Amino acid sequence: MVFQHNPFAGERIIVADDDKTIAKLANFLLEKIGFEVYSAENGEECLLLVEKYRPALVLLDYMMPVMNGLEALKKIRQQYPDTYVLMFTGKGSEEVAVEVMKAGAADYLRKPFANNSLRERINTILSLRKIEIENRVLLKEREMLQGEIQRWNLKLEDRVREKSTELEQAHKEIVQAEKLATLGHISAGMAHEIRNPLNSINLFAQILLSNEGLDEENKNYVSKITQEVERIDDILVQMLASDHDEKTTQKPLDIADVIEKVLRECQLKIDRQKVTLKLDIDRSTPSIHADFLEIEQIFTNLVANALYEMPEGGTLTLFLRSDEDNIYAGVSDTGPGIPKDNISRIFDPFFTTKEKGTGFGLSVVLRIIKSFGGKITVENLPDSGAGFLIELPLFPQSVH
């Protein structure tokens, strides 16, 4: 077979054979058809040339001094996987042939060999080498692409998960807003009905106060009744107001003062239930422009709920602090905590676990906080009890 064109011309080949006649013949033939050829007389010389020139092919004799061909073959295949090896073996050495093929030789050729046979074997091996190297490149590219696809899939999954969470949260907020709107309508109707008996209570209290035979202690009790009636009536007036923005009851308000007032009114119950009061109130907290009764409602409901959960004693904790943008307040107790199934529902109108509860308290708290652009969160505490965290902007924008 005569090569009219050598597609592998320019490739480097090392001929490693201690038989100078065979080495010279092979060099002549390979250079003639366009290969760049280097010669070695033993395995060690061959390895040095492979390291230096990184040839495409090594023609390696099995029997050589210093380091035989089999040992050199194993080192070449281990250290230089892109260099292929054609092994020369002697006559009648089938066992040797099997051994060198197992060790990684691309092919073997018995000596003596014909020139055409050598050319054919070299062409076949270099064609195979080209295909296998291209396949390795393609496999590496495929792995890179698969890795890239996997990374994109993970990013896509993260984005889908993120958007799903946002959508779920948006849906919850819409449902919550609808519930609060419904609560507003119902509250307005209830306010109309409550004011009538409330006026009667106030009237009878005024009659009692006018009784000259009433001692001072009882007069104080009756005065407290009238004060609370007036406070309830103010709350009802707010519930009946159709446009909060038209109201003129908002003014600079110190939330610490509100908390202190609420605690004074609850002090009798705190003492009776033997509840320990723990306060962390930062008196330097800035004022907020708000309605006193609305802020009072927030803390009255939260403190009342906390005391309800500690009938046999416990610790009631309140804190107040701020940063440049927000005021943060917290109310927590050491009661039994909130059942996991209920924690996502406690702000829903009419939801209550109390025997005589209305389910209005926390929904009113949420409505007021949201009207100032704030937020409230709740969680069960690590040891026991539940904690409510309120966040109110220092410069709230009314959303009534």
Side-chain angles (χ1 to χ4, degrees):
M1 179 178 178
V2 177
F3 287 177
Q4 299 298 324
H5 171 68
N6 179 11
F8 304 106
E11 291 281 12
R12 294 171 177 172
I13 295 180
I14 293 174
V15 178
D17 197 321
D18 61 331
D19 187 329
K20 294 182 180 180
T21 301
I22 293 179
K24 186 175 180 180
L25 178 62
N27 284 10
F28 175 77
L29 174 64
L30 296 175
E31 288 176 349
K32 186 177 180 181
I33 57 178
F35 291 110
E36 185 177 336
V37 185
Y38 301 90
S39 298
E41 295 185 357
N42 58 62
E44 286 188 353
E45 286 183 12
C46 177
L47 286 175
L48 291 174
L49 292 175
V50 170
E51 182 180 5
K52 182 177 180 179
Y53 295 109
R54 303 299 171 93
L57 179 64
V58 174
L59 306 184
L60 188 60
D61 187 28
Y62 181 80
M63 295 298 297
M64 289 187 296
V66 183
M67 179 188 293
N68 64 42
L70 181 61
E71 189 175 349
L73 167 64
K74 291 178 180 179
K75 290 182 180 294
I76 291 170
R77 298 306 296 152
Q78 181 180 8
Q79 298 174 23
Y80 312 100
D82 287 343
T83 295
Y84 283 44
V85 177
L86 173 61
M87 207 77 181
F88 292 155
T89 64
K91 284 186 177 181
S93 53
E94 292 294 342
E95 292 182 2
V96 172
V98 172
E99 185 180 24
V100 297
M101 294 299 288
K102 286 183 177 180
D107 201 350
Y108 68 93
L109 188 62
R110 292 180 185 176
K111 296 193 294 185
F113 48 79
N115 292 347
N116 287 345
S117 296
L118 180 61
R119 290 175 180 175
E120 288 176 358
R121 298 294 178 89
I122 290 174
N123 186 60
T124 300
I125 292 172
L126 292 181
S127 296
L128 177 64
R129 175 181 179 272
K130 180 182 178 183
I131 293 171
E132 289 183 348
I133 289 177
E134 288 175 350
N135 283 344
R136 285 203 293 271
V137 172
L138 290 174
L139 286 173
K140 188 174 181 180
E141 289 180 357
R142 187 181 73 172
E143 289 176 3
M144 291 176 61
L145 289 173
Q146 286 175 337
E148 190 69 21
I149 291 170
Q150 186 175 10
R151 286 190 291 272
W152 275 105
N153 283 338
L154 291 174
K155 287 183 180 179
L156 181 60
E157 289 174 5
D158 289 341
R159 291 189 65 182
V160 170
R161 192 160 39 246
E162 179 183 343
K163 293 301 179 183
S164 298
T165 302
E166 291 177 2
L167 184 61
E168 183 180 352
Q169 183 61 32
H171 176 70
K172 287 180 180 178
E173 291 180 0
I174 291 171
V175 171
Q176 193 177 68
E178 292 174 349
K179 290 178 180 178
L180 292 178
T182 302
L183 173 64
H185 292 302
I186 295 174
S187 299
M190 290 179 62
H192 280 292
E193 298 301 322
I194 292 172
R195 292 192 79 196
N196 291 327
L198 199 63
N199 288 333
S200 297
I201 293 171
N202 192 41
L203 177 61
F204 288 126
Q206 294 296 333
I207 292 172
L208 286 173
L209 279 176
S210 64
N211 186 350
E212 295 180 357
L214 199 65
D215 59 43
E216 285 301 317
E217 184 179 358
N218 286 321
K219 281 185 178 181
N220 287 332
Y221 292 150
V222 176
S223 293
K224 288 187 180 293
I225 291 174
T226 59
Q227 290 171 10
E228 291 303 307
V229 167
E230 289 174 1
R231 187 165 73 91
I232 294 172
D233 191 60
D234 288 338
I235 293 172
L236 294 175
V237 169
Q238 285 185 343
M239 293 171 67
L240 288 168
S242 59
D243 190 350
H244 181 82
D245 291 337
E246 293 177 358
K247 296 170 69 177
T248 58
T249 55
Q250 290 190 348
K251 59 184 179 180
L253 178 66
D254 189 339
I255 293 182
D257 292 341
V258 179
I259 293 175
E260 288 180 356
K261 181 177 183 295
V262 170
L263 291 176
R264 282 197 305 270
E265 293 173 353
C266 295
Q267 190 62 53
L268 183 60
K269 192 169 187 179
I270 291 171
D271 294 339
R272 284 179 178 175
Q273 295 180 197
K274 298 180 181 179
V275 171
T276 301
L277 192 59
K278 184 178 178 182
L279 299 179
D280 181 14
I281 307 297
D282 183 0
R283 294 297 311 193
S284 66
T285 301
S287 299
I288 186 174
H289 199 72
D291 183 274
F292 186 94
L293 287 175
E294 285 191 328
I295 302 301
E296 184 182 28
Q297 274 186 280
I298 293 173
F299 290 98
T300 297
N301 277 292
L302 294 180
V303 170
N305 283 349
L307 292 175
Y308 178 84
E309 297 297 331
M310 299 183 292
E312 303 298 328
T315 301
L316 172 64
T317 302
L318 288 93
F319 75 82
L320 178 68
R321 59 176 179 268
S322 64
D323 58 20
E324 294 180 355
D325 302 313
N326 300 292
I327 289 176
Y328 304 94
V331 179
S332 61
D333 59 70
T334 54
I338 303 170
K340 187 177 180 181
D341 293 340
N342 295 343
I343 203 162
S344 63
R345 304 174 58 198
I346 60 171
F347 293 109
D348 289 352
F350 312 113
F351 177 78
T352 181
T353 57
K354 301 175 183 177
E355 290 184 6
K356 296 183 179 180
T358 62
F360 269 9
L362 289 178
S363 58
V364 169
V365 168
L366 177 64
R367 179 185 63 79
I368 295 171
I369 290 173
K370 279 191 170 292
S371 72
F372 287 97
K375 61 183 179 180
I376 181 170
T377 55
V378 60
E379 64 177 357
N380 284 316
L381 303 179
D383 296 329
S384 66
F388 289 82
L389 175 63
I390 300 165
E391 182 179 323
L392 292 174
L394 282 170
F395 307 99
Q397 297 180 354
S398 177
V399 292
H400 283 278

